[in-house]
């Protein structure tokens, strides 16, 4: 049998609008980490998400690092962060030699549990050692319950940074997650809902924060002709070529959300009758972009665990991925505190991300469904034989 082309979890999906902007950059010789596409992308992005200021950067991770730098996170400083996430949410804390403390998830959105956060802040306040920041992650295209989290942060005057790398296109009470805290970060990595091949954005309503981040990202040059430096600088700016790709992608963001939500609807239609399969819920406070369709598989009911299903898909050259391994279980974060963790652990144990690209072909999606169903049917066949 001829092997079929690989079906990826979440591949890039160009719109056709990108090349005009890229060509313009070549034609005008703005082949540099600044230029008209960068300025326009920042402005257009602000309009789409409803932020006042933005700086386009080389990655979402760089955006998070700059937010921590601006807030003065340094050696030994505690930062509270969601445990159920990708390591990029927490690595910048270690870049600064800070101390990460991981907060467990709730079950409505799978994101940070607001009650656990409030309790932790309360307890820290009583000890007289408040954390320097909170990093709130909006996972898989869905916003956390921001209001109570923001209220807790405001009560103790701890700045909130939102990691919305996976949540562009989602809403929280009609607004974009990532625009509620002191700063928000977005990612345009190749697997995200829109991409620049690699890139990120830092947004804030605080103009001073964004202009400081812009300076740090440009080698921290002071305004002097002889290249004066009074702070440690970074080379974190986005190229004008890539910003052109971003402008083309931004135009189709809403189409991409609709396509991803349609993927989800099809999976739910075709799989929700199976025993032990449940879908990541859509919390009542907003729209889930369904960047990824995520299911949990109860092995006792389904007769197969998520790893069996993942390997069955892999055998047919289809990429599926376990839910993020929580940060409090990662060797690199051994020795850091965590508050709870059992909820995130159960999502990791049973959770599986299915192919979710906005360009996923219906034939391929039907194959995914068939293979997942077969894992259940095999077991029943054996039981009944
Ligand atoms: C992708 C991602 C990031 C990092 O973004 P990059 O642009 O790849 O650096 C950060 N946090 C989360 C939750 C992500 O999924």
């Amino acid at each position: 049998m001829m092997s079929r082309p690989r079906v990826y979890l979440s591949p890039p999906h160009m719109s056709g609008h990108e090349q005009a902007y890229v060509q313009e950059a070549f034609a005008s010789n703005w082949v540099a980490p600044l230029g008209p596409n960068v300025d326009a992308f920042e402005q257009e992005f602000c309009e789409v998400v409803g932020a006042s200021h933005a700086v386009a950067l080389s990655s979402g991770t760089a955006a998070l690092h700059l937010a921590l730098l601006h807030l003065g996170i340094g050696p030994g400083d505690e930062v509270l962060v969601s445990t159920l996430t990708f390591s990029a949410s927490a690595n910048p804390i270690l870049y600064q030699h800070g101390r990460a403390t991981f907060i467990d998830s709730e079950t409505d959105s799978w994101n940070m549990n607001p009650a656990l956060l409030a309790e932790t802040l309360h307890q820290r306040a009583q000890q007289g050692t408040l954390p320097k920041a909170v990093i709130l992650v909006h996972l898989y295209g869905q916003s956390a319950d921001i209001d109570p989290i923001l209220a807790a942060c405001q009560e103790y005057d701890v700045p909130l940074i939102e990691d919305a790398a996976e949540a562009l296109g989602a809403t929280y009470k009609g607004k974009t997650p990532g625009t509620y805290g002191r700063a928000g970060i977005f990612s345009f990595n190749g697997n995200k809902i829109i991409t620049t091949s690699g890139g990120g954005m830092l947004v804030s309503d605080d103009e001073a924060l964004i202009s400081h981040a812009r300076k740090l990202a440009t080698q921290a040059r002071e305004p002097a002709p002889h290249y004066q430096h009074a702070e440690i600088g970074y080379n974190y700016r986005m190229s004008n070529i890539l910003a052109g790709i971003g402008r083309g992608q931004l135009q189709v963001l809403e189409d991409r959300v609709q396509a991803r939500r349609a993927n989800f609807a099809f999976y739910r239609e075709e799989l929700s009758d199976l025993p032990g399969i449940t879908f990541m819920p859509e919390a009542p406070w907003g729209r889930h972009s369904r960047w990824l369709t995520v299911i949990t598989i109860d092995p006792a009911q389904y007769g197969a665990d998520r790893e069996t299903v993942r390997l069955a898909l892999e055998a047919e050259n289809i990429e599926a991925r376990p839910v993020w391994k929580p940060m409090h279980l990662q060797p690199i974060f051994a020795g850091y505190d965590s508050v709870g963790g059992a909820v995130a652990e159960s999502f990791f144990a049973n959770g599986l991300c299915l192919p979710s690209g906005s360009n996923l072909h219906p034939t391929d999606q039907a194959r995914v469904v068939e293979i997942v169903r077969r894992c259940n049917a095999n077991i029943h066949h054996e039981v009944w034989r």
Side-chain angles (χ1 to χ4, degrees), residues 114-115 117-118 145-153 172-173:
L117 175 72
D145 191 5
I146 300 169
D147 278 346
I149 288 169
L150 192 57
C153 288
Y172 179 76
K173 301 183 181 176

Side-chain angles (χ1 to χ4, degrees), residues 59-61 85-86 88-89 137 163 165-166 185 187-189 192 199 324:
S59 70
T61 311
T85 188
F86 176 48
S89 303
V137 183
D163 177 349
E166 301 184 0
I185 75 109
S187 168
F188 314 113
N189 193 24
K192 297 302 201 289
W324 299 125

